[in-house]
Amino acid sequence: MANINIKLVKSLNGRIAKHKATAEALGLRKIGDTTVQPDNAATRGKIAHIGYLLQVTEEQ
């Protein structure tokens, strides 16, 4: 199974509480934080929820 790199590129200040919780569930707390997650439906759903805050790249 492939993995995806997720980077937080916008601040969480002033965002909806659900969006903050989704970012923290992915392990992202500060601008510039990155995480590697499995490429599955659950992760893609989280990305879709807060995609405007993230930069996503697929691992090779």
Side-chain angles (χ1 to χ4, degrees):
M1 183 183 302
N3 290 325
I4 49 180
N5 294 322
I6 306 169
K7 181 177 182 180
L8 186 64
V9 293
K10 291 187 180 178
S11 175
L12 294 174
N13 289 340
R15 304 295 179 189
I16 299 171
K18 287 184 179 181
H19 292 195
K20 289 181 183 180
T22 302
E24 289 197 16
L26 287 169
L28 304 169
R29 290 179 176 75
K30 298 187 301 185
I31 293 175
D33 281 356
T34 60
T35 184
V36 177
Q37 298 286 327
D39 188 5
N40 57 30
T43 304
R44 290 290 179 167
K46 291 174 189 172
I47 291 169
H49 189 89
I50 60 167
Y52 68 101
L53 299 172
L54 306 174
Q55 179 182 34
V56 180
T57 57
E58 293 187 14
E59 254 186 11
Q60 299 298 340

